[in-house]
Amino acid sequence: MRLDKLIAQMQLGTRSQVKEYIRNGSITVNGQVVKKPEYKVAEQSDTVCFMGRALCYQEFAYYMLHKPSGVVTATKDRQDKTVMDLLQGAAGKDLFPVGRLDKDTEGLLLITNDGALSHSLLSPKKHVEKTYYAECEGTLSAEGITMLEQGVDIGDEKPTLPARVCRVKQSGNTYSLELSITEGRFHQVKRMIGAVGGKVTYLKRISFGGLVLDETLEKGAWRALRQEEVEQLAGRN
Ligand code: URA
């Protein structure tokens, strides 16, 4: 990879600042000052230093976004603000959201450029668990809970796979619950609640593949995943 490209990917500065650092001799490769932006480096094996400090090249980037309502899960949209618009300033090329949340759904969204991990997390064969907190209109009966737990007909070819239901709180004609599912069908949670006679009025994803939403993140805020979080997600492959 070109030296200027590698350094730009590490968010050390703008493209022109990076070129300036290289030209003024602030960058060494394997101990030698390199002043050519087009110099080719082996990013995995060469030691690149900026003002004497080794830079660590990471091929992939991983972020957790607390998605707010009103933002679409897409990389580009003509009309609406996208989740990628919220990731301004994040390092990493070709970032994309892993799976999708509806425009009105909030909560945990993983953003990465690691296609293999994304593929694995979304693979229907892997049954990666996603947990949602939902507020609903209606009454959730014991029979409704059993239906959700056993698999429910939501109008698709097959009923849903068994889900986990917990923290059900009924209050008058509304209730809240946590629902853990291992598939990713279109509007799945809303349709499952619809199939047991309720209507989702608020939906938030609180975990994905063991990764738990960092509640210190304000809506619309993001942070890089910690190394152990990445390893834990990858361990599910
Ligand atoms: N299920 C839904 O209905 N909507 C989402 O955004 C995610 C899961």
Side-chain angles (χ1 to χ4, degrees), residues 118-164:
S118 167
H119 188 263
S120 166
L121 290 169
L122 298 178
S123 163
K125 290 187 197 137
K126 303 272 172 153
H127 304 308
V128 171
E129 189 173 84
K130 291 144 279 239
T131 300
Y132 294 85
Y133 165 78
E135 291 176 2
C136 314
E137 279 171 2
T139 303
L140 185 60
S141 61
E143 193 197 352
I145 294 175
T146 306
M147 284 167 74
L148 294 171
E149 286 175 338
Q150 290 184 344
V152 64
D153 178 2
I154 58 172
D156 291 345
E157 210 176 301
K158 286 184 183 168
T160 57
L161 288 176
R164 284 194 307 118

Side-chain angles (χ1 to χ4, degrees), residues 6 35 58 79 112 114 148 174 180 227:
L6 179 92
K35 293 193 171 183
Q58 285 195 322
Q79 231 172 307
T112 186
D114 183 342
L148 294 171
T174 63
S180 300
Q227 189 58 34

Side-chain angles (χ1 to χ4, degrees), residues 2 13 33 46 54 70-71 80 84 87 90 92 98 121 134 146-147 149 151-152 164 172 174 200 206-207 230 237:
R2 281 174 62 117
V33 172
D46 286 340
V71 172
D80 289 306
M84 298 315 298
L87 262 272
V98 177
L121 290 169
T146 306
M147 284 167 74
E149 286 175 338
V152 64
R164 284 194 307 118
T174 63
V200 172
I206 53 178
S207 80
V230 176
N237 297 347

